[in-house]
Amino acid sequence: MLWRRMVRDRFFTVLLAAAIFVVGCGGVAEETTPGVETGSAPQRIVSLAPSLTETLFALGLGDRVVGVTRYCAHPPEVAELPKVGGHLDPNFEAIVALEPDLVVLIPSGEASGKRLESLGIPVLKIDQHDVESLLASISILAEACGVEETGARLRSAMETRLDAISRIVEGAPRPRTVVVVGHDISGGIVRSVWAAGPDTFYDGVLEIAGGVNAVAGGLVRYPELSREGLATLDPDVVLDVVAGVEERGAEIDDIYAGWGGLVELRAVREDRVQVLEGDLMVVPGPRLPEMVAEIAKALHPGLGWVSRD
């Protein structure tokens, strides 16, 4: 399909990484599948990333998950599971006490993985740094846990929905877009932002959703842009991705008001700034099609979208 070819071509020559903890961090996906190699699928799994936790539950493996990070929030039943710290600062004693036969983590947690391996705990590193690697992670986790058929069905369903979105936006103008993953709002106005560059997860999402990333490449995957830097880019659309608004003591209206002062931006003058709130927008897991659909609707509101029940 068109979106798959575009994403593959863009990332073919570069190993990518993400800069925020909830987005799968860069590196090469671990090829080892412990459950298959040992002949027995793992039954006690600790997940050190929200995206991997969601994937495990989507694969029907929730009853095998015995521990998660403090950031894992979906699906709701995760709230009842023991917490083992964060993906960069796990509580090793708590993990050992759970007696896992597998710990799954993303590449940015590799140091923790080595420590766990030294304690005799099997570790599987899963890369979800872009759309292609996220889809591949479904198959890798499914194989490791002995549920290959379930993984194949889940991956196929996700690809079908992504293909449908790609067909809807095909041929429509592709607005130059800045995806903001963090911002400094002081004095009631946006002072600076952190934006997704071309070698990030959101870049691939924009490709499928019918947009073009307005942020140029560089050494930093999520560069900080000043108000002047934003004005220089002057994007058609700004998508401000925000998770945990209430926990941060913020209000959506305040965020919109903060953008309203940047009248030098075409996106502000034409009312093309949209705040996309919720962990759906920052966790690159099995809810990817829902994330892409929300972004596609924000980029192309006039295409006659039909809600999916």
Side-chain angles (χ1 to χ4, degrees), residues 158-186:
M158 292 172 65
E159 290 176 338
T160 296
R161 294 181 62 190
L162 292 173
D163 287 340
I165 296 168
S166 182
R167 287 195 298 271
I168 291 172
V169 302
E170 189 173 3
R174 301 176 68 84
R176 295 176 61 258
T177 304
V178 170
V179 179
V180 173
V181 299
H183 52 238
D184 172 19
I185 297 180
S186 55

Side-chain angles (χ1 to χ4, degrees), residues 176-185 189-198 213-218 220-235 237-239 259 262 264-265:
R176 295 176 61 258
T177 304
V178 170
V179 179
V180 173
V181 299
H183 52 238
D184 172 19
I185 297 180
I189 193 168
V190 172
R191 303 293 179 180
S192 64
V193 303
W194 287 264
N213 196 343
V215 180
V220 180
R221 291 178 170 86
Y222 287 86
E224 182 177 7
L225 302 176
S226 64
R227 177 173 177 174
E228 293 75 16
L230 282 168
T232 298
L233 290 178
D234 199 19
V237 177
V238 171
L239 302 179
W259 281 105
L262 275 63
E264 65 270 28
L265 297 183

Side-chain angles (χ1 to χ4, degrees), residues 106-163:
I106 55 179
S108 62
E110 185 172 8
S112 298
K114 291 179 178 178
R115 171 74 182 279
L116 291 167
E117 287 176 331
S118 73
L119 297 173
I121 299 174
V123 172
L124 179 60
K125 183 174 66 178
I126 300 289
D127 178 18
Q128 295 180 313
H129 78 277
D130 63 14
V131 172
E132 287 293 320
S133 62
L134 187 154
L135 292 169
S137 76
I138 303 292
S139 302
I140 293 170
L141 265 179
E143 181 184 0
C145 298
V147 290
E148 293 91 335
E149 291 186 5
T150 301
R153 288 194 297 270
L154 175 59
R155 180 171 179 173
S156 177
M158 292 172 65
E159 290 176 338
T160 296
R161 294 181 62 190
L162 292 173
D163 287 340

Side-chain angles (χ1 to χ4, degrees), residues 17-309:
I20 50 180
F21 76 87
V22 288
V23 175
C25 296
V28 179
E30 178 63 60
E31 296 298 332
T32 305
T33 51
V36 174
E37 286 191 351
T38 62
S40 60
Q43 299 299 310
R44 296 183 61 80
I45 304 171
V46 169
S47 170
L48 294 184
S51 58
L52 297 178
T53 299
E54 290 195 23
T55 303
L56 287 165
F57 273 82
L59 288 169
L61 300 170
D63 59 344
R64 302 192 206 177
V65 179
V66 297
V68 297
T69 75
R70 59 177 171 268
Y71 302 113
C72 297
H74 187 85
E77 48 264 48
V78 168
E80 305 300 321
L81 291 173
K83 303 301 186 291
V84 296
H87 88 290
L88 292 178
D89 60 340
N91 184 326
F92 294 106
E93 291 184 0
I95 294 174
V96 171
L98 292 171
E99 301 182 345
D101 49 15
L102 180 65
V103 173
V104 294
L105 47 77
I106 55 179
S108 62
E110 185 172 8
S112 298
K114 291 179 178 178
R115 171 74 182 279
L116 291 167
E117 287 176 331
S118 73
L119 297 173
I121 299 174
V123 172
L124 179 60
K125 183 174 66 178
I126 300 289
D127 178 18
Q128 295 180 313
H129 78 277
D130 63 14
V131 172
E132 287 293 320
S133 62
L134 187 154
L135 292 169
S137 76
I138 303 292
S139 302
I140 293 170
L141 265 179
E143 181 184 0
C145 298
V147 290
E148 293 91 335
E149 291 186 5
T150 301
R153 288 194 297 270
L154 175 59
R155 180 171 179 173
S156 177
M158 292 172 65
E159 290 176 338
T160 296
R161 294 181 62 190
L162 292 173
D163 287 340
I165 296 168
S166 182
R167 287 195 298 271
I168 291 172
V169 302
E170 189 173 3
R174 301 176 68 84
R176 295 176 61 258
T177 304
V178 170
V179 179
V180 173
V181 299
H183 52 238
D184 172 19
I185 297 180
S186 55
I189 193 168
V190 172
R191 303 293 179 180
S192 64
V193 303
W194 287 264
D199 51 355
T200 61
F201 177 77
Y202 290 106
D203 190 69
V205 169
L206 281 176
E207 288 276 6
I208 304 169
V212 174
N213 196 343
V215 180
L219 297 177
V220 180
R221 291 178 170 86
Y222 287 86
E224 182 177 7
L225 302 176
S226 64
R227 177 173 177 174
E228 293 75 16
L230 282 168
T232 298
L233 290 178
D234 199 19
D236 302 312
V237 177
V238 171
L239 302 179
D240 196 346
V241 176
V242 183
V245 173
E246 293 182 359
E247 292 84 346
R248 292 162 52 183
E251 296 287 345
I252 295 293
D253 288 346
D254 292 337
I255 297 174
Y256 276 115
W259 281 105
L262 275 63
V263 294
E264 65 270 28
L265 297 183
R266 179 190 303 111
V268 172
R269 296 194 303 272
E270 297 180 359
D271 196 23
R272 297 300 306 276
V273 175
Q274 185 154 345
V275 178
L276 301 177
E277 194 274 331
D279 65 344
L280 166 67
M281 305 309 303
V282 298
V283 179
R287 293 184 291 166
L288 171 68
E290 287 91 336
M291 176 200 292
V292 175
E294 288 301 309
I295 290 179
K297 292 173 186 177
L299 297 178
H300 304 283
L303 288 182
W305 297 92
V306 176
S307 299
R308 185 181 188 276
D309 296 326

